[in-house]
Amino acid sequence: MRLLLVLLGLAVSGLAAASLFGKVEVSVGEKQLQLELAQSYEARAMGLMHRESLCSDCGMLFEYQQPRVISMWMKNTLIPLDVAFLNAEGEILVIKPMQPHDLTPVDSESPASYAWEMNQGWFAANHIKSGDKVTIRAAM
């Protein structure tokens, strides 16, 4: 019975986390992806915490209402990530690596409207760099 309650609790918390995030389509270079979208404060605070892996082309886009210097950290995040900071026009301003459990803030250096997290090395492997233009569309 105790095991059943633990499993049920994990399932409910997983469903609650899943309902925090929307979906968004992004295109950059030859890549077209469907990403999770974190728009609310709660969704941005949760981010990719507690996940043990991401599929090769999976990631999360964090959207902010007003451009600002965005600061990210890796509290309770188990996998190494890269974060690309984008301005309101979708231009990649800078891409930075982030390490699991590191509480050191990683910031956009200049005002940004989006932070896009992917598995570490994904941007380099796909020849995506600062200055590239990202198109962001609502998921169909």
Side-chain angles (χ1 to χ4, degrees), residues 25-39:
E25 292 181 4
V26 300
S27 301
V28 60
E30 300 294 317
K31 296 298 275 186
Q32 294 182 356
L33 307 165
Q34 186 169 21
L35 304 176
E36 291 181 80
L37 177 63
Q39 291 178 297

Side-chain angles (χ1 to χ4, degrees), residues 50-66:
H50 307 292
R51 302 199 192 183
E52 295 181 4
S53 64
L54 282 177
C55 75
S56 61
D57 282 337
C58 292
M60 184 173 286
L61 186 71
F62 297 76
E63 182 178 40
Y64 296 83
Q65 296 302 315
Q66 297 295 321

Side-chain angles (χ1 to χ4, degrees), residues 17 20-21 41-50 60 62 77:
L20 282 177
F21 305 111
Y41 173 81
E42 294 80 12
R44 290 190 303 266
M46 174 66 72
L48 293 172
M49 285 184 182
H50 307 292
M60 184 173 286
F62 297 76
T77 306

